[in-house]
Amino acid sequence: MEAQEELEKSIGTLEPETLKPTKVKIVKVELKEIGPKKIKKLVCTCKHPDKEETIEISRVRYIVKDDKLATVGLWYKEDKEGNLQKGTALASFVVWSEAMNMKQLESKEVETVAEDTGYLCFKAY
């Protein structure tokens, strides 16, 4: 499609597709560089039982200080020894999923929850 044709498209009337929160199976994990600073984020390709195509999830809702819930991206950060930084959302998600590292998340079935925006994120609480 020509770029000019895309610029002239009208706003549609169909509601966006939403998937219900349920267990999904992680089929692939990869670190992707995001933004101009190329900060790494874990992106999980998942199979949702209500959708034929795979979906990508890169956020988690988990418990932070004082038993409060936070929903954040699975940002990759290393400690001084080159390991995954303890206490980060990503490290908490890996531990919650009973994995030893990010690669071991593949083939895991993980619960999801809907964010305020309607998109799914992993549930780790």
Side-chain angles (χ1 to χ4, degrees):
M1 178 177 291
E2 294 291 324
Q4 186 60 34
E5 289 176 21
E6 291 173 338
L7 292 173
E8 295 174 1
K9 289 223 175 248
S10 300
I11 297 171
T13 58
L14 301 175
E15 292 294 325
E17 177 185 17
T18 56
L19 295 170
K20 68 177 182 184
T22 189
K23 273 191 177 180
V24 296
K25 183 174 185 177
I26 300 173
V27 295
K28 180 179 160 189
V29 295
E30 62 183 315
L31 287 173
K32 291 189 177 181
E33 293 179 342
I34 308 295
K37 293 185 179 181
K38 299 188 186 259
I39 299 171
K40 292 180 182 178
K41 185 178 190 182
L42 182 71
V43 178
C44 300
T45 303
C46 304
K47 180 66 183 121
H48 190 285
D50 296 338
K51 187 171 174 81
E52 194 169 315
E53 301 87 13
T54 57
I55 60 171
E56 289 186 342
I57 301 177
S58 61
R59 293 176 57 82
V60 64
R61 182 172 292 167
Y62 74 115
I63 297 174
V64 291
K65 295 181 199 173
D66 304 322
D67 291 332
K68 293 182 182 175
L69 291 175
T71 306
V72 296
L74 293 169
W75 299 106
Y76 177 80
K77 184 176 181 182
E78 291 182 358
D79 65 16
K80 291 179 182 178
E81 295 178 346
N83 296 312
L84 190 56
Q85 179 64 57
K86 180 180 179 178
T88 61
L90 177 53
S92 296
F93 175 62
V94 170
V95 169
W96 178 264
S97 302
E98 299 178 352
M100 297 298 292
N101 57 48
M102 293 176 285
K103 187 67 176 168
Q104 286 186 3
L105 291 170
E106 289 182 351
S107 299
K108 295 268 186 193
E109 289 193 359
V110 183
E111 286 287 342
T112 60
V113 64
E115 293 188 58
D116 295 339
T117 59
Y119 290 103
L120 295 179
C121 66
F122 293 119
K123 178 181 178 183
Y125 56 92

